[in-house]
Amino acid sequence: MRAHSTASHRFGCLIAITLLTPVVSRAQSAQYGHAHIEFGAQAIGVATLETPAIHGRTLTEGYLTQPLVMAMASFWSDALELKGTVDFEGATIKRGELNAGILGEGYIDRRHPHTYLHELVVTAQRRFGDNGVSLTTGKGFAPFGTDDPMARPFEKYPINHHLAQVLERAVAIGAFRTRRVIFEARSFNGDEPESPGDVPNRKRYWDSWSGRVTLVPFPQGEFQTSYARVRSPENATGGGADQRKQSASIRLEDVQHSGYALLEWARTADYVGSSRTFAFTSLLAETWARYGRASGALRIERTDRPDEQRLVDEFRTPLPAPDLSITGRSRWTIVTARFAASFLPVKAVTFEPFAEIARIRFSPTLKPTGFDPAQFYGSGRIWSVSVGTKLAFGMGQMRMGRYGIATTEKRDMKMGGMKMEGM
């Protein structure tokens, strides 16, 4: 962790929590003159069984995951907007959460905890009918790829998370919108977080960039394509391999906001100077629908993953990664189904039991390879079963990944509408 990280991150979290405190005891939504404030919190208790998880062994573990406190404050009819999310996974899943195939930030086959200050941005925007412009700065998401999986139906993340999103960076984003087309451009720091208490390296501010174009042919449809150049994401001081990232997706939602479908393609290529070393591609399709209190979702993913050198703890990889850390490349095909039921015992509180089951297959794509996944895991396939409950208070989970004029939701959709139950 970088030397300035702890103090800076505590200060950022203090700001976010201070902003949230006045509304906790009063309501999940409040109007104070020209200010409109929304507040929410959530946590998921889950038990996961994976067989085999590693070396032919079955593992069963339990977690308190995705414990979030969220708030959004808007002023003068959304002319100025403040949005924050505090994530406590650094305290609840420090060892990582079983998530077969996933890789990132020093974890492999376990999802890493996100930083405590997940998001804190301020946006100024001006609308001219269906057109508008906005400027966003703070810590948050790059205009690249699709929504953060935390704001989507499944508890388990897709393994393409680090291919399809760029998050938890210091950002400066400009956006322009016409009636049907949204243009976004952003500069940000390339380095990924090294721990939950980490913050972007000040010496790396603005060394990377991304851009996204979104077509909105009708209110429930989004067609986006994006591109990013990320400097040395896996080495905080710089000097590591750069990444060139591409993404394209289609997202459709029904008029009642009771279901949606997503199809996405993402590709990340590693470069040393002008020479490409590796490339990793992902294709993902998912859909979710709610009927009354019941909901169901299905996700199919096919993603290439680098097989990195492992430490004594075989769920961890070196960070920063050495030059020869990639020992192979494998292709993962995962089919995941989810079933849930939502209950509302009291106003503004959601209690949602759920179950997820995934069938996971993989095979090496480089031959010869220094890593044989079937030999390492003890089988050519993995089964994962998770059961748990999500408890949420206040406003529904906001879509994560767009700001200001680039959002395609209106306030009633963000805070009511779809409500993102099970998402």
Side-chain angles (χ1 to χ4, degrees), residues 32 34-37 73-82 411:
Y32 301 96
H34 295 289
H36 182 86
I37 299 174
S74 61
F75 306 87
W76 304 291
S77 301
D78 295 338
L80 186 68
E81 186 175 271
L82 182 65
R411 180 186 306 282

Side-chain angles (χ1 to χ4, degrees), residues 190-313:
D191 56 306
E192 293 180 340
E194 294 181 323
S195 71
D198 204 0
V199 294
N201 189 333
R202 293 174 184 171
K203 296 180 180 179
R204 299 283 309 278
Y205 279 11
W206 327 130
D207 67 357
S208 303
W209 62 271
S210 67
R212 178 167 57 194
V213 178
T214 304
L215 173 66
V216 188
F218 48 92
Q220 288 77 43
E222 295 176 12
F223 299 75
Q224 74 83 27
T225 183
S226 47
Y227 181 82
R229 287 205 175 189
V230 186
R231 293 286 300 275
S232 184
E234 297 184 357
N235 191 323
T237 59
D242 299 333
Q243 291 183 348
R244 301 181 187 181
K245 304 171 75 71
Q246 300 166 270
S247 170
S249 67
I250 300 172
R251 187 184 189 277
L252 303 174
E253 184 178 344
D254 70 347
V255 176
Q256 293 77 28
H257 314 300
S258 60
Y260 90 104
L262 171 69
L263 177 65
E264 77 171 348
W265 170 87
R267 180 180 177 86
T268 292
D270 291 345
Y271 278 79
V272 176
S274 59
S275 300
R276 192 179 77 178
T277 55
F278 290 94
F280 308 97
T281 302
S282 175
L283 185 63
L284 178 147
E286 70 181 33
T287 186
W288 169 83
R290 180 181 65 214
Y291 184 77
R293 297 191 182 276
S295 65
L298 179 68
R299 181 173 69 208
I300 303 173
E301 177 185 9
R302 187 175 187 180
T303 296
D304 295 336
R305 185 193 79 172
D307 295 313
E308 295 190 353
Q309 175 186 344
R310 299 180 186 235
L311 301 178
V312 174
D313 178 352

Side-chain angles (χ1 to χ4, degrees), residues 25 168 231 337 404:
S25 60
E168 298 185 329
R231 293 286 300 275

